[in-house]
């Protein structure tokens, strides 16, 4: 017991949460009740998986005892295969136990912004968008494109995804920072090697944003016609919403819904998340300053994707690397996420 995962501690936490959930007064706040229910569900899954792994280990140990008495090569091979599967489950379970940060269990917003470089960087931002949506598909996360601005010639100028799933912020927080691409440019007739940059930011969906007050005089709201792919994809009404928070300079645009009121509601929620995030970062900076810790700031280069003159993806923080960039760009980023979580632990 103990370590990253203490099943007795988890059982105690579950008992406390269930007791809280049984209090009728907690249901007066639907958001709070739902958050507690989600925590209860997640802890139950963790405990069930723990005992499922323990049972699998015990079962296979019993088989090994039988093999000491009677030789059975087929049973031995099956047992070896099962132990490899158990090893993988334990490894995955261990990584999951590292997701114990304050906001790790929450849904999140993921943004991608190209750096300087025009079409090259816009195309790179679009490649990253594809990478993250493919990762979400493979990992079982759901995503929704809240806002997407297409590039003038190719790629995207910016995009925001709303991602939901079990501990999705905990996993995707490892992606915050600048991503660098080196390749032979498909937009350069001379076939020269080009370096492009794109910044990724991930913000948790905070449960306490309802406490954030935004004064009417502090925001400017603009409405405009949503862009689309043509035909029925283009809105015929001014349903897209852009909110500018004047004191902070934060700009939020939402155009995925056909209703202007719905887009406005989503935009205000995102703005509140961003303002709350600033408060959290400020608090954490003060705590880290007292501890003497240095933060990895947004804007620092975290990962290189080299397609030419050789093939390599390398994370500069963890030294985790892959010599198969195509696989990584197809959404296979879990090894990099795992390495980051282990490094932070």
């Amino acid at each position: 017991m103990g370590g990253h995962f203490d099943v007795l501690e988890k059982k105690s936490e579950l008992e406390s949460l269930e007791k809280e959930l049984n209090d009728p007064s907690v249901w007066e706040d639907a958001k709070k009740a739902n958050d507690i229910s989600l925590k209860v569900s997640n802890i139950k899954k963790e405990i069930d998986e723990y005992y499922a792994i323990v049972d699998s280990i015990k079962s296979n140990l019993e088989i090994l005892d039988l093999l000491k008495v009677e030789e059975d090569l087929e049973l031995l091979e099956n047992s070896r295969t099962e132990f490899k599967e158990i090893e993988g489950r334990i490894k995955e379970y261990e990584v999951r136990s590292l997701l114990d940060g304050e906001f790790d269990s929450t849904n999140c917003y993921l943004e991608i912004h190209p750096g300087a470089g025009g079409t090259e960087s816009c195309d790179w931002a679009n490649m990253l968008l594809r990478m993250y949506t493919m990762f979400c598909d493979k990992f079982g996360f759901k995503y929704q494109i809240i806002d997407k601005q297409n590039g003038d010639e190719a790629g995207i100028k910016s995009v925001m995804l709303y991602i939901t799933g079990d501990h999705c912020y905990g996993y995707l927080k490892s992606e915050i920072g600048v991503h660098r691409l080196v390749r032979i440019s498909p937009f350069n007739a001379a076939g020269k090697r080009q370096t492009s940059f794109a910044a990724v930011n991930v913000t948790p969906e905070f449960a306490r944003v309802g406490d954030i007050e935004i004064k009417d005089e502090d925001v400017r709201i603009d409405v405009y016609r949503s862009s689309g792919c043509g035909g029925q994809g283009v809105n015929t009404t001014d349903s897209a919403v852009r909110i500018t928070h004047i004191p902070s300079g934060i700009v939020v645009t939402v155009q995925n819904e056909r209703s202007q009121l719905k887009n406005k509601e989503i935009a205000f929620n995102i703005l509140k998340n961003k303002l709350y995030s600033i408060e959290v970062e400020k608090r954490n900076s003060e705590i880290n300053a007292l501890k003497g810790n240095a933060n990895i700031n947004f804007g620092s280069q975290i990962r290189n994707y080299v397609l030419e003159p050789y093939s390599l993806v390398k994370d500069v923080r963890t030294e985790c690397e892959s010599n198969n960039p195509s696989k990584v760009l197809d959404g296979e980023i879990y090894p990099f996420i795992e390495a980051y979580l282990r490094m932070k632990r």
Side-chain angles (χ1 to χ4, degrees):
M1 301 303 171
H4 296 329
F5 182 84
D6 188 330
V7 69
L8 296 181
E9 185 180 325
K10 287 291 180 181
K11 283 183 175 181
S12 176
E13 183 181 359
L14 177 61
E15 185 180 342
S16 176
L17 288 171
E18 286 181 331
K19 188 179 294 184
E20 188 175 356
L21 208 55
N22 288 330
D23 182 353
S25 65
V26 79
W27 294 96
E28 295 175 5
D29 185 340
K31 175 66 176 173
K32 182 181 179 181
N34 288 332
D35 288 343
I36 295 173
S37 296
L38 181 60
K39 287 181 181 178
V40 167
S41 176
N42 288 337
I43 292 174
K44 282 182 176 179
K45 287 179 184 177
E46 290 179 24
I47 293 174
D48 288 346
E49 177 63 7
Y50 172 85
Y51 283 112
I53 292 174
V54 170
D55 289 342
S56 295
I57 293 172
K58 288 180 178 178
S59 177
N60 277 273
L61 288 175
E62 290 173 359
I63 291 173
L64 289 180
D65 287 336
L66 289 174
L67 289 171
K68 291 177 183 178
V69 179
E70 183 178 348
E71 185 176 320
D72 187 327
L73 294 179
E74 184 179 352
L75 190 59
L76 176 62
E77 191 58 36
N78 288 339
S79 186
R80 283 174 175 166
T81 301
E82 283 202 35
F83 267 118
K84 286 182 180 178
E85 292 176 357
I86 293 170
E87 185 180 15
R89 288 169 64 187
I90 292 173
K91 186 178 180 182
E92 184 178 329
Y93 198 72
E94 182 186 9
V95 172
R96 170 64 182 270
S97 72
L98 302 177
L99 301 175
D100 58 356
E102 185 178 0
F103 306 110
D104 282 356
S105 62
T106 65
N107 299 325
C108 64
Y109 297 95
L110 185 147
E111 301 172 71
I112 305 172
H113 299 278
T119 301
E120 288 285 350
S121 293
C122 287
D123 187 56
W124 172 223
N126 198 45
M127 291 169 67
L128 287 173
L129 170 61
R130 176 180 177 273
M131 182 180 79
Y132 289 123
T133 55
M134 291 187 74
F135 168 75
C136 288
D137 289 337
K138 293 176 181 179
F139 215 67
F141 292 157
K142 303 295 183 184
Y143 64 87
Q144 182 181 14
I145 295 179
I146 297 295
D147 181 61
K148 182 181 178 183
Q149 303 293 328
N150 293 323
D152 295 330
E153 297 179 34
I156 54 175
K157 291 181 179 178
S158 68
V159 68
M160 176 183 284
L161 301 177
Y162 174 54
I163 304 175
T164 60
D166 190 10
H167 286 77
C168 61
Y169 174 72
Y171 285 108
L172 289 169
K173 66 184 180 183
S174 64
E175 300 305 296
I176 298 173
V178 170
H179 297 245
R180 173 176 173 261
L181 172 70
V182 180
R183 63 172 174 173
I184 299 296
S185 171
F187 305 101
N188 189 309
K192 292 183 178 180
R193 195 160 66 243
Q194 182 79 29
T195 300
S196 305
F197 296 89
V200 175
N201 194 19
V202 185
T203 308
E205 183 182 32
F206 298 107
R208 305 180 192 128
V209 293
D211 298 335
I212 298 291
E213 292 185 10
I214 299 176
K215 297 178 182 178
D216 292 341
E217 60 267 27
D218 286 345
V219 295
R220 184 177 71 249
I221 302 174
D222 301 305
V223 295
Y224 58 97
R225 189 161 296 178
S226 295
S227 60
C229 55
Q232 295 180 350
V234 178
N235 252 335
T236 55
T237 59
D238 293 337
S239 61
V241 175
R242 180 188 297 111
I243 297 179
T244 303
H245 187 250
I246 299 169
S248 66
I250 295 173
V251 179
V252 177
T253 58
V254 177
Q255 60 173 320
N256 62 306
E257 300 288 343
R258 289 187 175 275
S259 164
Q260 182 187 119
L261 288 175
K262 185 64 176 176
N263 283 334
K264 185 178 178 181
E265 179 185 343
I266 294 171
F268 265 108
N269 189 58
I270 293 171
L271 175 58
K272 287 182 177 181
N273 266 276
K274 286 179 175 288
L275 292 173
Y276 190 83
S277 179
I278 291 172
E279 291 301 314
V280 171
E281 288 177 8
K282 181 181 177 181
R283 182 193 67 187
N284 290 341
S285 295
E286 291 171 351
I287 292 172
N288 288 331
L290 291 172
K291 292 181 178 179
N293 294 336
N295 285 327
I296 300 176
N297 297 317
F298 179 71
S300 60
Q301 187 173 310
I302 65 164
R303 194 175 301 149
N304 295 312
Y305 305 72
V306 182
L307 308 186
E308 294 288 345
Y310 52 87
S311 298
L312 181 69
V313 178
K314 185 170 183 177
D315 195 295
V316 300
R317 303 162 300 177
T318 64
E319 301 297 317
C320 179
E321 61 183 49
S322 169
N323 57 8
N324 191 340
S326 295
K327 190 176 179 181
V328 174
L329 292 172
D330 282 344
E332 297 291 338
I333 60 174
Y334 182 77
F336 296 96
I337 292 173
E338 178 185 346
Y340 174 82
L341 291 173
R342 290 185 183 279
M343 177 198 74
K344 295 299 288 184
R345 171 66 73 180

